[in-house]
Amino acid sequence: MGKDADESPDCGERLLEDLLAQAHTATPMDLPALVNRCAEAFGLGEVVIYLADLQQRRLVSLTEGLSTLDIDTSIAGWCYRTVSLRMEDVETGVLCVWLPVVDGSERLGVLGVRTRSVDAERLRRCRMLTQVVAMAITSKRAYSDSFARKARAERMQLPAEMLRAFLPPRTIGNTHVVSTAVLEPAYEIGGDAFDHSLTQSTLHAAILDAMGHDLASGLTTSVALAGCRNARRAGAGLLDLVGTIDQALAQWLPDKFCTGILTQLDLATGMFSWCNCGHPPPVLIRDGRVVEGALERSAQPPMGLPARFSDEPRAVHEMTLEPGDRVLLYTDGVTEARTAGGGEFGMDRFTDSIILATAAGELAAETLRRLIHSILDSEDSDLRDDATLLLIEWWAPETKPAPRRG
């Protein structure tokens, strides 16, 4: 199309049809060339696709030879952090339109589109390209190493490689709920993991922490994840779900155990149900403060060892959330990170961060990204164990406010 592009709706539909058809068969590294051909036909300039790296510190271009962009300081990074469109002047008479590449609620990266002018039609075409790129990346990353290589800054240890093969996307959600997680050290995790799944009526979320920090620990957590999903997909309730994990670990790994919290959230009513198996209790954040002890209940044995600790049956606890509530699950590697003076990093530091981010209207996923980096980057902290955070945010139907950007 170029400057004299056919502006008819039929032409746009044909171009979209061609783009979708070619995206199905394109290899991951063919995407930049494919998207640029379509952009040219749309009358747009050069397009560059950037993916967030594993630790969400940098944006890495799929086009070879281009510099990485810092997520915390660049305009492209601002687009990623806030999931908002941004424009900047790149040369005389040329703009770069930055658009977030998102799969549902999960941030994948950004798309940069060069253009000499911006109007409603060009922005619509930019968004269309971005949506196709998001779908292509999501569909191909499960079976291609290309995206994984781009996202990694160093070689991953074998236990971490095994566990990450089982992890779901970092963030899932809809208009009523978001569940998002981070896990560090990204390349050396041993026994921590998280899981979340969404149905039309229910959010299922779990956090797990196996004994030890080696390949056997990762295997223990992997078996627990498999048991969790197997029972969940068969329609099991929380008690049966935990029982399935207990049985699997006792049968296949009788000398191993796993702590964890398994939860369900009714999206319509806000009824939050959970079973705590020897794990630090969840934290409820409401109206800008931690509600002390709100989700603390009597301790139950870790999964895999119930008979050795107690004859009492497993218990499921319930509490009705209020719109805007955030529930934080975490492993003890977060609070037990050591300062230079030998003390623990502690609960107050990271709950304060979440409270401030909530008050500022920050996206839940961005809250955890910045929080885990503050722990890793603090000059006086030492992360001695896996540290995992999972944050759930719930809004009743039609009560969620418009997101604040910036």
Side-chain angles (χ1 to χ4, degrees):
M1 285 166 45
K3 294 182 179 179
D4 298 320
D6 183 348
E7 300 290 340
S8 70
D10 287 346
C11 179
E13 289 180 5
R14 288 196 304 272
L15 287 170
L16 178 58
E17 181 181 17
D18 290 344
L19 177 60
L20 289 171
Q22 293 177 59
H24 282 299
T25 57
T27 67
M29 303 317 291
D30 287 338
L31 279 178
L34 172 62
V35 172
N36 269 288
R37 288 198 300 271
C38 188
E40 182 180 5
F42 277 157
L44 302 171
E46 181 185 8
V47 175
V48 183
I49 304 168
Y50 285 87
L51 296 182
D53 78 324
L54 186 63
Q55 294 180 296
Q56 300 182 87
R57 292 183 181 275
R58 303 174 303 135
L59 293 167
V60 183
S61 172
L62 290 187
T63 302
E64 294 294 336
L66 295 182
S67 300
T68 61
L69 303 175
D70 184 75
I71 287 178
D72 286 310
T73 60
S74 66
I75 292 179
W78 185 94
C79 170
Y80 178 86
R81 297 193 313 269
T82 63
V83 192
S84 299
L85 180 146
R86 187 74 180 241
M87 290 183 282
E88 65 173 326
D89 294 316
V90 290
E91 59 184 73
T92 303
V94 179
L95 295 169
C96 184
V97 181
W98 293 104
L99 301 101
V101 179
V102 181
D103 174 39
S105 297
E106 186 186 18
R107 302 177 296 180
L108 303 175
V110 298
L111 195 75
V113 183
R114 294 167 68 95
T115 181
R116 292 193 173 277
S117 62
V118 177
D119 54 28
E121 181 59 25
R122 283 185 171 83
L123 286 179
R124 186 183 70 84
R125 291 173 175 180
C126 289
R127 291 190 176 98
M128 185 171 63
L129 286 176
T130 305
Q131 291 164 3
V132 173
V133 167
M135 289 188 291
I137 291 171
T138 302
S139 67
K140 297 176 188 303
R141 63 178 173 170
Y143 64 81
S144 172
D145 290 339
S146 297
F147 294 143
R149 288 175 180 170
K150 283 286 186 180
R152 296 182 183 184
E154 60 186 84
R155 183 164 183 170
M156 187 168 291
Q157 299 298 309
L158 185 58
E161 191 75 64
M162 178 177 66
L163 263 182
R164 286 201 174 275
F166 286 94
L167 293 182
R170 273 190 296 252
T171 306
I172 63 172
N174 58 24
T175 56
H176 306 317
V177 70
V178 170
S179 176
T180 184
V182 291
L183 200 164
E184 289 285 351
Y187 299 94
E188 301 174 5
I189 55 173
D192 276 18
F194 65 91
D195 196 24
H196 43 205
S197 176
L198 197 59
T199 69
Q200 186 174 9
S201 62
T202 307
L203 169 72
H204 304 264
I207 194 167
L208 303 167
D209 184 1
M211 173 186 67
H213 192 81
D214 53 20
L215 191 62
S217 303
L219 181 59
T220 302
T221 305
S222 298
V223 170
L225 277 172
C228 176
R229 292 170 181 171
N230 180 259
R232 189 179 70 217
R233 292 165 182 172
L238 278 180
L239 286 179
D240 289 338
L241 194 153
V242 176
T244 299
I245 300 174
D246 280 331
Q247 183 178 1
L249 292 178
Q251 179 178 357
W252 301 106
L253 297 166
D255 296 327
K256 301 294 182 181
F257 66 88
C258 181
T259 72
I261 299 177
L262 296 99
T263 75
Q264 292 179 346
L265 174 62
D266 186 298
L267 303 185
T269 66
M271 179 60 70
F272 181 67
S273 307
W274 76 100
C275 185
N276 188 338
C277 303
H279 201 79
V283 175
L284 176 63
I285 299 172
R286 172 179 292 165
D287 296 331
R289 65 183 181 90
V290 173
V291 183
E292 297 290 346
L295 303 177
E296 292 185 15
R297 301 294 186 272
S298 299
Q300 298 183 58
M303 290 172 284
L305 298 179
R308 301 187 195 180
F309 284 83
S310 173
D311 294 329
E312 295 294 323
R314 296 283 192 189
V316 171
H317 310 291
E318 294 183 339
M319 180 177 182
T320 301
L321 300 183
E322 296 181 3
D325 278 356
R326 285 181 165 183
V327 176
L328 176 67
L329 310 181
Y330 63 96
T331 60
D332 54 16
V334 176
T335 54
E336 292 176 0
R338 296 286 173 175
T339 66
E344 293 185 352
F345 196 82
M347 280 283 295
D348 291 344
R349 289 196 188 188
F350 81 91
T351 53
D352 285 349
S353 296
I354 293 177
I355 289 169
L356 289 172
T358 302
E362 192 171 74
L363 298 172
E366 179 61 15
T367 297
L368 289 198
R369 188 193 73 87
R370 294 201 308 112
L371 173 55
I372 201 69
H373 288 175
S374 71
I375 295 173
L376 292 172
D377 298 343
S378 174
E379 293 182 0
D380 64 349
S381 70
D382 179 18
L383 192 62
R384 298 187 178 186
D385 195 4
D386 293 349
T388 304
L389 296 162
L390 187 146
L391 186 63
I392 298 168
E393 180 180 275
W394 176 75
W395 291 93
E398 300 181 2
T399 64
K400 187 172 184 178
R404 278 184 273 180
R405 306 300 191 191

